[in-house]
Amino acid sequence: MADMDAFLGRLDPDMCVVTAAAGGERAGCLVGFASQCSLEPVRFVVWLSEVNRTYRVARSAEVLAVHLLARQQRRLAELFGGETGDRVDKFRQVRWREGHGGAPVLEDAEAWFVGRVVRHADGGDHVGFVLDPVEWGEREPSGGPLLRLRDARTIHAGHPVD
């Protein structure tokens, strides 16, 4: 396992905030496991921890919103990564609007898209939500780099891993 840890330690993916709304509830969390997974049609997958409140809301949602943050948006990353929606209404602390299908879109994100959930994939302690992008946008780019895993390592998760 040490060799795999060394390999994984060299990866430094972009972090994103995933938001969902269903059954009168909103949720959102910081995600490090996300990627485009198909060229034609374009598909994107985000992996949500089964212990996370966002997962519980997302499994009933028809759409999810995926947001990229700039490195200097650390406070936003800490809110969505270090707090749990079980105790804190994160959306009272940010500017957001309702996007396609009711997905909460963070207005201060560098870029975002809303995707229709087309399937789920079991991945162990995370579930993949395969998304078909249906709406997207970006704000005036800050010119700075995007938030990456190395920038978020010191954010303590709002929910324990197990």
Side-chain angles (χ1 to χ4, degrees), residues 18 29 31 33-34 44-52 54-56 58-59 64 117 119-131:
V18 174
C29 65
V31 171
F33 304 149
F44 196 87
V45 65
V46 294
W47 296 89
L48 301 178
S49 169
E50 292 179 323
V51 301
N52 192 304
T54 302
Y55 166 75
R56 295 192 306 269
R59 69 182 175 201
L64 302 180
V117 178
R119 86 177 37 97
H120 299 105
D122 181 17
D125 61 0
H126 283 63
V127 172
F129 289 73
V130 179
L131 305 174

Side-chain angles (χ1 to χ4, degrees), residues 5 34 62-63 85 98 101 109 111-112 114 117 121 134 136 148 159:
D5 288 342
E62 293 181 15
V63 294
E98 216 173 87
W112 59 271
V114 173
V117 178
V134 294
W136 49 88
R148 300 186 67 92
H159 263 289

Side-chain angles (χ1 to χ4, degrees), residues 6-144:
F7 177 83
L8 293 174
R10 297 184 77 172
L11 298 176
D12 194 22
D14 292 331
M15 300 295 289
C16 57
V17 171
V18 174
T19 58
E25 294 185 84
R26 288 184 306 270
C29 65
L30 187 65
V31 171
F33 304 149
S35 175
Q36 184 174 343
C37 60
S38 174
L39 291 172
E40 187 60 42
V42 172
R43 294 284 189 265
F44 196 87
V45 65
V46 294
W47 296 89
L48 301 178
S49 169
E50 292 179 323
V51 301
N52 192 304
R53 181 172 184 276
T54 302
Y55 166 75
R56 295 192 306 269
V57 174
R59 69 182 175 201
S60 298
E62 293 181 15
V63 294
L64 302 180
V66 179
H67 309 80
L68 295 176
L69 304 180
R71 187 174 289 157
Q72 68 264 22
Q73 292 179 297
R74 171 102 182 163
R75 188 190 83 60
L76 195 55
E78 287 174 344
L79 175 64
F80 281 91
E83 299 289 340
T84 173
D86 291 326
R87 292 190 293 271
V88 173
D89 182 353
K90 300 173 191 181
F91 295 92
R92 292 186 79 160
Q93 301 179 48
V94 299
R95 295 180 337 119
W96 69 278
R97 65 174 179 79
E98 216 173 87
H100 180 89
V105 174
L106 304 178
E107 292 187 339
D108 293 323
E110 287 291 296
W112 59 271
F113 80 89
V114 173
R116 183 176 54 84
V117 178
V118 295
R119 86 177 37 97
H120 299 105
D122 181 17
D125 61 0
H126 283 63
V127 172
F129 289 73
V130 179
L131 305 174
D132 172 21
V134 294
E135 180 185 34
W136 49 88
E138 62 184 337
R139 67 185 187 118
E140 183 79 24
S142 67

